Structures are given as structure tokens and as C-alpha cells.
């Protein structure tokens, strides 16, 4: 592995001016937007600028720019050393920067600025985050048994598709898994027993899309790029395109999550505001996270091949037999399984972007130099570059299942997917994802249940609007348990 000492820069690094520029007003941001979406693509957009400026810290513009974002100018931090400044809420403000340099209309969240858009310095942040953490803690005993039930339902549908078509679209199955799990977790009821029925993922997707459209591309044929850029990246999509779908989600949560909403009043939160925050937590943070996170996990494990599958199956089946079932204690003993989950979160984090506005003048460091950032500057981090920093991770572009086993555990502090270090935990005072530990747990349980049932599989990977697509091409049932 790369030496972790290289990730702590010496204090005597030279202070340099931040390279790069923003171009001409209006035209510079549009040029960068076109490069980002159409002429270069995400990774090449950043890599070309790193090569040009010989620096992992530089000035650029981030989409969407005019006319959605009033100021698209950012200072990009693209290495493992500089990126964590975005976690330090004494130095950066996280107000209204959850999705980028623009802030979607509060119409999407019932007129409320939900917890994700609040800075910890705002009075409501602590009460809302505490309410969310308390809600998750109260459901702790349901996590494993409920998720196992939902995963079993996915496997039945997966096998039906394989038998009928010879392949299965994992993403659509995963959307149903993620939505059903979180709805049942918070509402103690299957969505199939409500007016939502089987349309939950569709409602959630239609609500998510207009909020994320300014920073996504549909990957259409090139001749349609100008039309897409005009429709998605130039003016915000109005709430009315998702209004009826969101109302159905809100009504269902309001009706069936009564005990949680009762508890919100103990935190001084009005019932309506609590419900909108719960819908956001379930359908944006949680469903949205698993919507990209699990297909990435399936993709990378599938592409890595049968040797890793044998190793996972051996570990999982041995530990489950010894422990008498899938328990928290059993999961802690599965060192390779844990490492594979962390590696998937490292190589393809479910949320690739982080933003924060400098609260104070400060000096930040890359591996090679120091740079001064002024109060009011917007700092932007593209996480896949930070978590594939070659000065920290050996063979960073390669999926290495055992990367975090043994001595490799020391590298976990450079896994940043949750808007914080993997070695830290979410609190009411920070902006780390409140469901961080739950996502890791569910990812482990998914692998455990998968390799208790199957020996190996193959997958075909592609790109989607957000994240990766995974098509299961072959699936071999377990020959021994």
C-alpha cells in the first residue's frame, strides 16, 4: 500500500497562488459547463485541469452556472489531503450547498429548508439532526431482519428475471428494494398495503430528478446536447412536474409514521416540518444513496471475478455457521466482507461532490504546496479523485477487495463517502451523513445474504443518469452452505 505518511504534508510547504481562472463572466461558466457534460466528461474535465495547472487545487467553474446558479466560481480540492477541509464546519459553511452552487426551491420540501441544507450554526440544525439520529437509533433492532426480508424478495424477482430473460436489470430491482426497506422501516407498513402500492420508486425518482437535473446529463445522442443543456442546465425545472408524486409520498409518511412524528415534538419540531424532513431522509438521503451505492457494489464485486466470490462465500458461510446466523457480532467478524464494502465506497462513492463556503481566511494544503483561500470563496471537492489519490492508495483505480484488511484499516480515514472520515461518526454538530453506519451495515448484510444464496455471478456495467448500471448476466446458485 502507499505510505500513509505521504498524506500528511510538511508544514513548510511553499505558499503558492491558486492556479486557474474563471474565464469571462457568463461565457466562462458556460464553456466549463459544456466541457464538463459534453466535450470532456467529468473525470477528464478535472484531470485535464490538474495536468494543465500541475496542481490538485485550482480555480474553475462548476455546473450549472447561468441562469440557475448565481455564482458558479469554485476552488476545487482534488486530493486526499485538501479534501477534508470540507468537513470542518468551523472553517466552511454548509448552508444551502447540499447539491452544489445552486439551491433547489423549498417547494420540493413543503416550504421548509430541510436538515441537509442547514449549516450546524443554524439553530434548527441540532434539533433536526438529533431527531433523525434518534429515529434511526430507535429502529436499530429492525435493521437486519427487515433488510433480510426485503433482500429475499429481491432475490426471488432476480431469479424470475434470469429464468425468463437470461439476464436481469439489477438497478430496477434495487430501486424497489431500497424504497420498500426505508418505507417499512419508518412506517411499519409495506408500501404495497398503501395507496403508493408498487409506484414508490417512480414517485421518488420523479421528485429527485428536477432537483438534480442541473448537475446531470441524460447521455443523449450528441445532436441533442444543445437541447438538453437548454432544458436541464439553464433554468430550474419547476416543482409542479413532481408535485402530485411528492404529495403522495408525503401523505403516506404523514399517515403511517405517526409514532416518529409524535417523537419529533419532543425535539421542538412541528409535525409538518418533521414529516417533510422524514420524507427527505427516506427518499433523498437513504433511497437516493442506495440507488447509486448498491449497483456500484454489485458492479465492482461482479467485475472482480470468481476468486473474490469464493473468498467472500467461504468467509460468510463459515462465520454465519459459527455464530448461528446473521447477527451484528457475525458481521464484525467478516473482515474481507467489511473491506469489500469500504472498497466499493472508496472507488465509487454514492455522492461524488461536496461543497462548502469559506467562513474565514485560511491556508489549505495539497501534498506539494499551500494555498490561501479567502472568506466567501466556494470550495468544491470531487470525491472520486480524493479517494483515488495515488499518493495514499496503491493502484487506486483498481478494485482491491482486501485493501482494508489488517494494516489496511489505517487507510479508512481516507474514505470520505459520508461527508466525513470513515473513522468518524455523525453527530448533531457535524454534517456527516446520519445514515452512514446504516449504509455500511446494509451493504455488508446484502453481500452476506447474496453469498449465502449464490456462489458466483457475472455482470455487465454501464453508466446512468446518476451512478452505474449493473446487468446480471449469469448467476450460480450456492452448491454448499
Amino acid at each position: 500500500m502507499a505510505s500513509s505518511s505521504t498524506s500528511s504534508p510538511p508544514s513548510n510547504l511553499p505558499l503558492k497562488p491558486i492556479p486557474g481562472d474563471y474565464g469571462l463572466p457568463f461565457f466562462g461558466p458556460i464553456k466549463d459547463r459544456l466541457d464538463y457534460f459534453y466535450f470532456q466528461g467529468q473525470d477528464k474535465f478535472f484531470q485535464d485541469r490538474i495536468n494543465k495547472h500541475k496542481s490538485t487545487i485550482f480555480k474553475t467553474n462548476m455546473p450549472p452556472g447561468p441562469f440557475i446558479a448565481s455564482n458558479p466560481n469554485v476552488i476545487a480540492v482534488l486530493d486526499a489531503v485538501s479534501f477534508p477541509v470540507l468537513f470542518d464546519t468551523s472553517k466552511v459553511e454548509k448552508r444551502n450547498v447540499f447539491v452544489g452552487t445552486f439551491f433547489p426551491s423549498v417547494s420540493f420540501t413543503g416550504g421548509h429548508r430541510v436538515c441537509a441544507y442547514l449549516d450546524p450554526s443554524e439553530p434548527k440544525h441540532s434539533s433536526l439532526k438529533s431527531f433523525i439520529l434518534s429515529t434511526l437509533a430507535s429502529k436499530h433492532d429492525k435493521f437486519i431482519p427487515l433488510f433480510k426480508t426485503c433482500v429475499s424478495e429481491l432475490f426471488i424477482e432476480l431469479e424470475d428475471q434470469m429464468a425468463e430473460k437470461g439476464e436481469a436489470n439489477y438497478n430496477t430491482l434495487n430501486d424497489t428494494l431500497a424504497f420498500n426497506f426505508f418505507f417499512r422501516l419508518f412506517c411499519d407498513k409495506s408500501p404495497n398495503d398503501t395507496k403508493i402500492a408498487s409506484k414508490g420508486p417512480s414517485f421518488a425518482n420523479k421528485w429527485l430528478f428536477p432537483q438534480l437535473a442541473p448537475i446531470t446529463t441524460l447521455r443523449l445522442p450528441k445532436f441533442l446536447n444543445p437541447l438538453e443543456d437548454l432544458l436541464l442546465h439553464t433554468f430550474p425545472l419547476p416543482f409542479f412536474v413532481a408535485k402530485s408524486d411528492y404529495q403522495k409520498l408525503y401523505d403516506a409518511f404523514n399517515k403511517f409514521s405517526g409514532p416518529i412524528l409524535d417523537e419529533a415534538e419532543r425535539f421542538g419540531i412541528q409535525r409538518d416540518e418533521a414529516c417533510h424532513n422524514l420524507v427527505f431522509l427516506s427518499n433523498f438521503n437513504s433511497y437516493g444513496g442506495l440507488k447509486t451505492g448498491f449497483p456500484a457494489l454489485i458492479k465492482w464485486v461482479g467485475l472482480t471475478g470468481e476468486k473474490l466470490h469464493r473468498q467472500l462465500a467461504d468467509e460468510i458461510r463459515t462465520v454465519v455457521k459459527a455464530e448461528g446466523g446473521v447477527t451484528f457480532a457475525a458481521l464484525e467478524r467478516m473482515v474481507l466482507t467489511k473491506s469489500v464494502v469500504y472498497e466499493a465506497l472508496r472507488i465509487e462513492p454514492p455522492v461524488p461532490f461536496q461543497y462548502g463556503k469559506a467562513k474565514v481566511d485560511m491556508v489549505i494544503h495539497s501534498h506539494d504546496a499551500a494555498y490561501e483561500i479567502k472568506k466567501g470563496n466556494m470550495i468544491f471537492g470531487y470525491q472520486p479523485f480524493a479517494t483515488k489519490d495515488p499518493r495514499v492508495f496503491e493502484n487506486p483505480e483498481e478494485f482491491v477487495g482486501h485493501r482494508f484488511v489488517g494494516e489496511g484499516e489505517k487507510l479508512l480515514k481516507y474514505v470520505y463517502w459520508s461527508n466525513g472520515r470513515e473513522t468518524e461518526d455523525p453527530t448533531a454538530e457535524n454534517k456527516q451523513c446520519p445514515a452512514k453506519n446504516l449504509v455500511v451495515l446494509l451493504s455488508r448484510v446484502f453481500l452476506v445474504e447474496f453469498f449465502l444464496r449464490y456462489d458466483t455471478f457475472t455482470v455487465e456495467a454501464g453508466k446512468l443518469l446518476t451512478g452505474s448500471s449493473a446487468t446480471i448476466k449469469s448467476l450460480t446458485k450456492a452448491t454448499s452452505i
Side-chain angles (χ1 to χ4, degrees):
M1 71 181 66
S3 170
S4 61
S5 64
T6 62
S7 62
S8 301
S11 57
N12 60 347
L13 287 173
L15 185 64
K16 294 183 177 181
I18 299 174
D21 63 77
Y22 302 117
L24 294 172
F26 185 80
F27 296 104
I30 289 179
K31 178 187 180 299
D32 283 346
R33 183 172 80 202
L34 295 175
D35 281 346
Y36 178 86
F37 285 123
Y38 307 119
F39 301 147
Q40 295 178 310
Q42 276 182 13
D43 285 6
K44 192 170 189 302
F45 177 88
F46 296 117
Q47 190 60 57
D48 279 8
R49 283 153 181 77
I50 289 173
N51 296 342
K52 177 182 177 181
H53 303 305
K54 295 180 173 55
S55 172
T56 51
I57 298 175
F58 53 84
K59 298 175 183 175
T60 189
N61 297 292
M62 278 303 295
F67 296 93
I68 296 175
S70 59
N71 185 1
N73 301 164
V74 302
I75 294 168
V77 291
L78 303 181
D79 59 75
V81 177
S82 59
F83 192 93
V85 70
L86 290 161
F87 310 149
D88 188 344
T89 54
S90 70
K91 293 181 178 179
V92 297
E93 181 184 69
K94 306 292 279 189
R95 178 185 173 92
N96 296 345
V97 298
F98 178 65
V99 294
T101 56
F102 68 103
F103 175 42
S105 168
V106 293
S107 298
F108 286 98
T109 48
H112 299 282
R113 286 176 62 236
V114 292
C115 186
Y117 289 103
L118 300 178
D119 185 76
S121 65
E122 297 182 76
K124 279 189 177 180
H125 181 274
S126 181
S127 59
L128 285 169
K129 186 87 178 277
S130 296
F131 161 62
I132 291 167
L133 291 170
S134 173
T135 298
L136 290 169
S138 72
K139 301 291 185 178
H140 184 267
D141 291 343
K142 293 183 64 176
F143 292 161
I144 293 178
L146 177 58
F147 190 68
K148 286 178 65 176
T149 299
C150 294
V151 169
S152 294
E153 294 168 358
L154 178 144
F155 290 155
I156 291 168
E157 183 61 30
L158 171 63
E159 290 169 18
D160 286 347
Q161 283 196 25
M162 293 297 296
E164 181 184 345
K165 303 175 185 176
E167 63 179 32
N169 181 331
Y170 175 76
N171 295 73
T172 55
L173 301 174
N174 182 74
D175 282 2
T176 300
L177 164 72
F179 184 88
N180 287 358
F181 172 77
F182 287 109
F183 190 89
R184 290 161 78 165
L185 182 69
F186 295 128
C187 296
D188 290 317
K189 201 171 191 69
S190 169
N192 293 326
D193 298 329
T194 74
K195 290 182 179 178
I196 287 178
S198 61
K199 296 180 181 177
S202 174
F203 293 159
N205 291 339
K206 287 187 215 173
W207 172 68
L208 286 168
F209 177 72
Q211 298 176 77
L212 297 174
I215 53 172
T216 57
T217 174
L218 301 176
R219 305 181 189 280
L220 300 173
K222 287 185 178 181
F223 75 93
L224 292 174
N225 287 347
L227 179 62
E228 179 193 87
D229 194 56
L230 176 66
L231 295 177
L232 299 190
H233 310 141
T234 308
F235 302 99
L237 294 175
F239 173 58
F240 77 77
V241 301
K243 184 176 181 179
S244 64
D245 299 298
Y246 182 71
Q247 191 63 48
K248 290 166 188 167
L249 291 172
Y250 176 86
D251 289 345
F253 277 83
N254 193 43
K255 182 175 181 179
F256 297 111
S257 65
I260 293 175
L261 302 182
D262 293 340
E263 183 69 6
E265 295 177 3
R266 189 170 68 83
F267 291 89
I269 304 166
Q270 293 294 318
R271 197 176 187 86
D272 177 67
E273 183 172 12
C275 190
H276 286 293
N277 272 273
L278 188 62
V279 174
F280 194 92
L281 170 68
S282 183
N283 295 283
F284 202 125
N285 298 124
S286 304
Y287 168 78
L290 293 195
K291 181 180 177 67
T292 56
F294 274 16
L297 177 64
I298 278 287
K299 164 188 145 181
W300 287 105
V301 172
L303 293 176
T304 303
E306 197 168 345
K307 180 181 177 182
L308 176 63
H309 302 170
R310 280 198 306 271
Q311 293 170 340
L312 284 168
D314 288 346
E315 175 183 81
I316 289 164
R317 295 169 192 177
T318 300
V319 172
V320 168
K321 185 176 181 179
E323 292 285 336
V326 182
T327 63
F328 288 103
L331 292 168
E332 280 304 306
R333 287 183 55 189
M334 298 176 189
V335 292
L336 177 62
T337 304
K338 287 197 288 186
S339 178
V340 165
V341 168
Y342 291 137
E343 178 69 344
L345 292 167
R346 177 198 72 85
I347 201 167
E348 191 172 337
V351 180
F353 314 114
Q354 294 292 345
Y355 288 84
K357 184 174 286 188
K359 288 183 175 180
V360 294
D361 292 347
M362 68 180 94
V363 174
I364 63 170
H365 303 85
S366 66
H367 292 286
D368 303 309
Y371 301 91
E372 187 174 10
I373 289 180
K374 296 294 186 182
K375 178 181 179 181
N377 288 155
M378 182 68 85
I379 306 171
F380 159 77
Y382 183 53
Q383 193 173 149
F385 274 41
T387 55
K388 291 189 282 190
D389 186 334
R391 304 277 283 272
V392 172
F393 295 103
E394 187 176 350
N395 300 320
E397 300 288 341
E398 181 183 343
F399 186 91
V400 180
H402 61 271
R403 189 184 295 276
F404 298 102
V405 173
E407 283 294 303
E409 281 192 78
K410 293 178 181 178
L411 293 171
L412 282 176
K413 63 183 176 180
Y414 303 112
V415 178
Y416 300 145
W417 72 273
S418 63
N419 194 22
R421 296 183 186 274
E422 191 58 40
T423 50
E424 298 171 356
D425 287 311
T427 69
E429 289 72 45
N430 67 22
K431 291 301 293 181
Q432 191 163 24
C433 172
K436 171 232 176 190
N437 293 325
L438 176 57
V439 169
V440 172
L441 173 71
L442 298 182
S443 300
R444 292 179 189 171
V445 175
F446 182 85
L447 286 180
V448 168
E449 292 298 306
F450 191 93
F451 284 105
L452 285 174
R453 191 171 181 121
Y454 308 109
D455 279 343
T456 189
F457 69 108
T458 58
V459 67
E460 182 178 276
K463 293 293 289 182
L464 288 177
L465 186 70
T466 53
S468 293
S469 66
T471 302
I472 309 292
K473 303 295 285 186
S474 68
L475 190 62
T476 303
K477 281 283 195 79
T479 50
S480 63
I481 302 295

